[in-house]
Amino acid sequence: MEYLICSENDLVDMVQEYGFLPLLKNKIPGFSVEEHTPSEYWFAENVDGPWEWKGPVIRKTGCAYGKFFAGKAGFISREWYCDFANYRRDGYDFDARYDDGLARIQDKKVYDILTAYPSLLSKEWRRLTGIPKRGEFDAIVNRLQMQGYVVTADFEYARDKYGNAYGWGLARYATPEQFFGTGFRNAVYRCAPEESGERIEQYLRSLLPQAKEAQIKRVLGTRR
């Protein structure tokens, strides 16, 4: 299905239809929000576009958003995220991953802090970890998102005296268990990781006939 994204609802429809959708252009032609959105909707004064629609799309669809695609941001629909997390986690919950020596001690510290809250703004989370360097903190969060343990639950903006939002927006993070709730917790390990990976790979082949095999594998990503 061909899309032209000119509104928040257009982006909602595309996320629901595609299931997996990077935000920015990548090596697979047509597989991004950017390529389907006219340039005048990107970072234009007094004009909202995909950057501003991310939070509303998350709220409307219940989708996951985060650094899922080789460390680049994008959307994964609620329907597909369980398989994604099961595959990327390789069947491990985070404690088991750490116990088997597959996670860093700093990653566990950061993850454990998030699990104590329903969600946290990025600045709140970093303050609680005590990590002074934003780049170090961001690298850990990106790794946790790629592994299927953290999602972006929303974006929050500062507001002027008239109530108008401004700035880039602060990410609010949560674990998938907190964000999706009981349904996710009951379903995420329902099958072998290999089965989830095969299901995703077959779907991506049908969704992206223009993609090469190596490109499909890159979207699928690696376990551990």
Side-chain angles (χ1 to χ4, degrees), residues 41-94:
Y41 287 94
W42 287 94
F43 310 117
E45 188 174 355
N46 299 320
V47 177
D48 284 351
W51 192 263
E52 293 78 20
W53 296 332
K54 293 180 298 181
V57 168
I58 294 168
R59 294 192 295 272
K60 285 185 175 182
T61 66
C63 72
Y65 180 84
K67 300 287 184 71
F68 304 138
F69 303 105
K72 303 298 183 181
F75 301 90
I76 299 178
S77 70
R78 189 182 188 97
E79 291 73 20
W80 277 107
Y81 189 80
C82 269
D83 276 316
F84 170 84
N86 185 36
Y87 178 75
R88 288 284 182 88
R89 292 180 179 189
D90 199 19
Y92 285 93
D93 65 27
F94 197 85

Side-chain angles (χ1 to χ4, degrees), residues 5-197:
I5 300 173
C6 297
S7 71
E8 183 181 302
N9 286 335
D10 290 339
L11 182 52
V12 164
D13 290 343
M14 190 171 183
V15 169
Q16 295 288 64
E17 180 70 23
Y18 271 52
F20 296 84
L21 185 61
L23 183 65
L24 300 177
K25 186 176 180 180
N26 54 80
K27 293 184 178 180
I28 302 176
F31 187 46
S32 73
V33 174
E34 180 182 7
E35 290 165 279
H36 292 267
T37 308
S39 59
E40 59 263 30
Y41 287 94
W42 287 94
F43 310 117
E45 188 174 355
N46 299 320
V47 177
D48 284 351
W51 192 263
E52 293 78 20
W53 296 332
K54 293 180 298 181
V57 168
I58 294 168
R59 294 192 295 272
K60 285 185 175 182
T61 66
C63 72
Y65 180 84
K67 300 287 184 71
F68 304 138
F69 303 105
K72 303 298 183 181
F75 301 90
I76 299 178
S77 70
R78 189 182 188 97
E79 291 73 20
W80 277 107
Y81 189 80
C82 269
D83 276 316
F84 170 84
N86 185 36
Y87 178 75
R88 288 284 182 88
R89 292 180 179 189
D90 199 19
Y92 285 93
D93 65 27
F94 197 85
D95 286 342
R97 176 182 290 270
Y98 179 75
D99 289 344
D100 275 8
L102 300 174
R104 308 175 192 191
I105 189 169
Q106 192 77 323
D107 291 18
K108 180 169 171 53
K109 175 184 176 182
V110 171
Y111 176 78
D112 284 349
I113 288 170
L114 184 61
T115 64
Y117 297 84
S119 65
L120 284 170
L121 284 173
S122 56
K123 64 179 181 180
E124 298 170 336
W125 191 11
R126 183 160 71 93
R127 176 177 56 80
L128 289 167
T129 67
I131 297 174
K133 295 181 180 179
R134 180 174 175 179
E136 181 182 352
F137 173 77
D138 288 347
I140 294 170
V141 174
N142 291 351
R143 191 157 51 243
L144 292 170
Q145 289 183 100
M146 283 289 291
Q147 293 171 343
Y149 295 107
V150 170
V151 298
T152 305
D154 206 347
F155 289 88
E156 297 183 15
Y157 291 82
R159 294 190 177 273
D160 62 23
K161 63 181 179 180
Y162 303 106
N164 299 312
Y166 67 91
W168 288 100
L170 287 174
R172 177 170 289 280
Y173 293 105
T175 66
E177 283 79 0
Q178 291 279 34
F179 182 65
F180 292 112
T182 303
F184 175 85
R185 290 192 290 269
N186 291 341
V188 62
Y189 303 119
R190 70 182 185 273
C191 64
E194 295 81 4
E195 185 178 337
S196 286

